[in-house]
Amino acid sequence: MPSLPRQILGILLLLGGLFWFLPILGLWMIPLGLLILSIDFQWARRGYLSIISWLRKRRGHRKRKKAD
């Protein structure tokens, strides 16, 4: 996929994620947009990786809570 359409798709997904309170649009669009943009931009790669690490820590915390 060429760079420009990929960048447009990533930006549209990020913008759609800002309207998470509407039906169909949601917070799931932000990590997906960052993932697509991370191919071309370092700042998006850092943002995507920080979201993924936050989710992993959160999931691990939840698993530890259930074990208690």
Side-chain angles (χ1 to χ4, degrees):
M1 181 178 223
S3 180
L4 185 61
R6 184 174 51 234
Q7 291 173 5
I8 292 172
L9 177 63
I11 290 169
L12 288 175
L13 283 168
L14 285 178
L15 291 174
L18 295 176
F19 298 103
W20 58 269
F21 53 88
L22 296 173
I24 298 175
L25 303 175
L27 290 176
W28 61 270
M29 298 176 90
I30 293 174
L32 185 60
L34 285 173
L35 176 65
I36 291 171
L37 287 174
S38 70
I39 296 169
D40 297 320
F41 299 110
Q42 181 67 31
W43 60 266
R45 190 171 303 120
R46 275 181 272 152
Y48 175 73
L49 291 175
S50 69
I51 289 173
I52 293 300
S53 67
W54 179 78
L55 287 173
R56 285 183 180 160
K57 278 192 266 183
R58 186 168 164 85
R59 184 174 40 177
H61 179 69
R62 210 176 317 152
K63 283 183 180 178
R64 277 184 265 130
K65 253 186 165 177
K66 284 183 181 179
D68 291 341

